[in-house]
Amino acid sequence: MDPLTQGALGAALPQAAANRRQVLAAGALGFLSGMAPDLDVLIRSSEDPLLFLEYHRQFTHALVFIPVGGLLCALLLHRLIGRRAGLGFGPSYLFCTLGYATHGLLDSCTTYGTLLLWPFSDQRFAWNTISIIDPLFTLPILALIVVAGLRRRPALARAAMVWGLAYLALGAWQRERAETLGEALAAERGHVPLRLEAKPSFANILVWKVVYETATDFHVDAVRTWPSAVVYPGSSIPRLDTARDLPWLDPASQQARDVERFAWFSNDYVARHPQVPGRVIDVRYSLLPNEIDSLWSIQLTPGAAPEQHVSYTMHRNRRDGQVEILWQMLLGQPLSGSDEYRISGL
């Protein structure tokens, strides 16, 4: 999630557990601690562009690290906030730990993947219930924690927690509906997916990106789940086959190992870019949910030295009209030039 949302939820839980005298300080400690795990983005290397992919949402987000992360935050923030508010170190540590604890669990509700069980497992948990930015989730929580702190009303923070949990539950229900629509669409095409996932599109839980895998391809479509079921058909792309798509790649080279690392990060939803030679994309993410237009990729170089890494690139240049198209999807309207259609009864 974005830092503001992480901080807001990080503040809500300590405030909900605090008394009236403590609620303002608890919110401040929880807000900063709720954002702290994302300091792992500082773990980078100028020589290895994929290092940050391995460490982001890794140990700082793991369940076993919560007491340690809370302690580190308390050691820093108690003097700055807790002691000045009349708290002992124990309450400061409690509020920092509660705020810190919300971060990894909230990140797991998104689609990126979080290593909750590190160091015991490298499984990336992604429950796909909320977009990484969703104002309808964040703004009510933010408003409630601010008023809770100013008016010394822990009950308002509890209301913020109830709103957050209810919204995430609604997202889970919407995800199930989106997956049902995706399964119906695949069946109409005569496909039996090896796996199928639905991911919320940007800033909402109404329009979802459905990605399913067959023996040879990935298929991407968009669906609106409510109040009426609407499908916006997308396209497909062959799954990455390094022997076919990158025949020049030395299996013992660093670039080959980087492809494997990128595939692990992307949960094996990887394909060769159809227009750019040597580019491998993550098909899970795009600005429009019915497109294969990856937000990030790696670029391989034929003839590179055995120890040379791939390059990593972000692709976030918005094209004209994309916001309008997403808005049409949210409203369930047909798109120009699209064979959009409805599925009733779902």
Side-chain angles (χ1 to χ4, degrees):
M1 296 295 292
D2 63 281
L4 181 61
T5 304
Q6 293 286 10
L9 192 66
L13 183 57
Q15 282 186 330
N19 59 40
R20 292 178 63 91
R21 182 183 63 85
Q22 299 171 328
V23 67
L24 183 60
L29 292 168
F31 188 89
L32 295 173
S33 299
M35 295 188 293
D38 275 345
L39 290 174
D40 61 7
V41 298
L42 300 176
I43 304 175
R44 292 175 176 267
S45 169
S46 59
E47 298 179 355
D48 181 0
L50 299 187
L51 184 68
F52 83 100
L53 291 181
E54 295 182 339
Y55 282 97
H56 184 40
R57 297 198 182 187
Q58 198 219 41
F59 72 94
T60 61
H61 291 60
L63 296 178
V64 298
F65 196 77
I66 290 173
V68 178
L71 178 60
L72 294 174
C73 290
L75 290 172
L76 176 63
L77 298 175
H78 175 63
R79 288 188 177 185
L80 297 175
I81 298 173
R83 189 164 64 183
R84 295 183 180 183
L87 300 180
F89 184 78
S92 289
Y93 174 53
L94 173 64
F95 295 144
C96 287
T97 302
L98 290 175
Y100 195 97
T102 64
H103 189 111
L105 292 171
L106 182 57
D107 270 348
S108 296
C109 293
T110 68
T111 65
Y112 191 88
T114 305
L115 275 70
L116 285 180
L117 299 183
W118 178 92
F120 310 108
S121 170
D122 64 354
Q123 179 181 351
R124 301 181 67 88
F125 288 87
W127 297 322
N128 301 336
T129 57
I130 191 172
S131 173
I132 58 171
I133 298 176
D134 192 328
L136 193 56
F137 176 80
T138 304
L139 294 180
I141 295 175
L142 185 63
L144 286 167
I145 65 165
V146 169
V147 178
L150 295 177
R151 296 190 178 182
R152 308 297 198 272
R153 297 275 302 276
L156 294 177
R158 295 174 194 132
M161 291 298 301
V162 169
W163 170 257
L165 292 172
Y167 195 88
L168 292 173
L170 179 61
W173 177 65
Q174 292 283 67
R175 182 200 64 215
E176 295 298 318
R177 287 175 58 85
E179 290 176 352
T180 299
L181 286 166
E183 290 165 357
L185 182 59
E188 287 186 4
R189 294 169 175 165
H191 296 159
V192 179
L194 301 177
R195 53 177 174 163
L196 181 150
E197 295 183 8
K199 305 175 184 299
S201 62
F202 180 72
N204 75 95
I205 55 172
L206 286 181
V207 177
W208 295 71
K209 180 171 186 171
V210 174
V211 183
Y212 69 86
E213 179 183 3
T214 62
T216 58
D217 300 293
F218 295 115
H219 298 260
V220 171
D221 303 280
V223 299
R224 189 187 74 152
T225 54
W226 184 88
S228 58
V230 184
V231 173
Y232 296 95
S235 56
S236 63
I237 191 171
R239 297 164 47 186
L240 180 69
D241 182 327
T242 54
R244 178 196 66 206
D245 299 330
L246 305 167
W248 45 265
L249 182 63
D250 180 359
S253 68
Q254 182 61 54
Q255 288 195 118
R257 290 191 290 271
D258 285 347
V259 170
E260 294 177 357
R261 296 163 72 198
F262 187 70
W264 168 79
F265 163 76
S266 305
N267 200 21
D268 285 324
Y269 283 100
V270 287
R272 180 181 62 83
H273 194 286
Q275 282 86 42
V276 183
R279 178 175 293 179
V280 177
I281 63 173
D282 182 343
V283 303
R284 299 175 300 168
Y285 298 99
S286 57
L287 289 175
L288 287 179
N290 64 337
E291 291 185 345
I292 298 174
D293 188 15
S294 182
L295 295 180
W296 43 72
S297 66
I298 57 173
Q299 183 67 48
L300 287 78
T301 304
E307 69 278 3
Q308 181 176 323
H309 284 277
V310 301
S311 61
Y312 176 84
T313 306
M314 304 288 291
H315 309 281
R316 290 183 177 175
N317 294 327
R318 195 180 72 212
R319 302 194 309 272
D320 291 341
Q322 286 186 313
V323 173
E324 291 77 8
I325 292 173
L326 182 57
W327 184 248
Q328 287 178 295
M329 290 180 176
L330 287 167
L331 297 177
Q333 297 175 347
L335 306 180
S336 176
S338 169
D339 57 347
E340 165 270 336
Y341 59 93
R342 297 171 185 266
I343 298 179
S344 61
L346 292 177

